[in-house]
Amino acid sequence: MTGPVLGPDGLRRCAWGESTDDYRVYHDTEWGRPVHGDDALFERISLEAFQSGLSWITILRRREGFRAAFAGFEIAKVAAYGPAEAERLLLDTGIIRNRAKIEATIANARAALELTGGLDALVWRFAGDPDRPAPRTLEEVPAVTPESTALAKELKKQGFRFVGPTTAYALMQACGLVNDHLAECHVRGQRPT
């Protein structure tokens, strides 16, 4: 069983958060903390989609490249991308050059523009139970939940792509819709609401 690990700084973390310096910073300052705002959530949905089939560290280390390539993930700007921008992105070594994922990101921006009430309102409707018991080991953390399945279904209904239940749950974890920091992880109690 993989419980929290003690880092060289004397703090207990979810084991994955202690595996690299990049992960440690992401774990301690960002993962699991509430994210609001349509553009901010669009960035996270986009990055989670690009991560599909890859390791998160690959995406995390290219995050600034993604931000530059996709206009800071401003929904209106990305929604205006056409074939020329898609072709340009296929040549951009700062991102993952996958045509289906690039086209999905552009399509998702267009879908986000059409949402009544905005992306933030849609995503946060599916927040998990804040009183759910804290997982004690990584093995207790699910890959999919009924909420992530419902979120994925709603996003797909609204025209989003690359948003299956597992990707939706990773989004929920990363954006603080659920708190999957382990019970003894130092970040768990710091999490702002």
Side-chain angles (χ1 to χ4, degrees):
M1 297 251 193
T2 312
V5 297
L6 189 63
D9 57 3
L11 298 174
R12 290 197 178 282
R13 290 180 179 81
C14 304
W16 66 267
E18 194 53 55
S19 61
T20 70
D21 289 341
D22 293 328
Y23 271 158
R24 186 178 307 110
V25 171
Y26 178 68
H27 172 274
D28 286 3
T29 63
E30 192 171 352
W31 189 79
R33 297 181 189 262
V35 173
H36 286 282
D38 289 357
D39 289 344
L41 286 165
F42 174 64
E43 175 182 0
R44 298 301 189 81
I45 288 172
S46 300
L47 295 177
E48 293 294 346
F50 272 99
Q51 186 272 327
S52 182
L54 302 170
S55 68
W56 180 246
I57 197 70
T58 300
I59 304 304
L60 192 58
R61 288 180 175 160
R62 294 180 184 217
R63 193 172 190 182
E64 291 309 314
F66 278 107
R67 285 176 172 162
F70 288 100
F73 290 100
E74 289 183 43
I75 293 170
K77 288 183 179 179
V78 177
Y81 282 13
E85 286 84 5
E87 291 303 317
R88 172 186 58 81
L89 292 169
L90 284 169
L91 301 174
D92 189 333
T93 59
I95 66 170
I96 304 302
R97 296 173 290 172
N98 177 298
R99 182 179 296 278
K101 292 177 182 182
I102 289 168
E103 290 175 354
T105 302
I106 296 166
N108 290 351
R110 293 174 183 154
L113 278 181
E114 299 298 320
L115 291 173
T116 302
L119 186 57
D120 188 287
L122 184 152
V123 168
W124 278 91
R125 281 195 345 236
F126 297 91
D129 178 2
D131 296 323
R132 183 180 80 177
R136 301 196 71 71
T137 66
L138 292 179
E139 290 78 11
E140 292 177 19
V141 177
V144 173
T145 63
E147 294 85 2
S148 74
T149 301
L151 173 57
K153 183 177 179 182
E154 183 61 27
L155 286 168
K156 286 179 184 178
K157 178 180 167 187
Q158 298 298 330
F160 284 75
R161 297 191 239 163
F162 274 93
V163 289
T166 303
T167 298
Y169 194 67
L171 172 75
M172 293 172 72
Q173 290 174 303
C175 295
L177 280 78
V178 295
N179 185 357
D180 277 344
H181 284 284
L182 301 181
E184 294 179 25
C185 174
H186 82 96
V187 176
R188 186 165 182 93
Q190 299 174 2
R191 185 175 171 263
T193 56

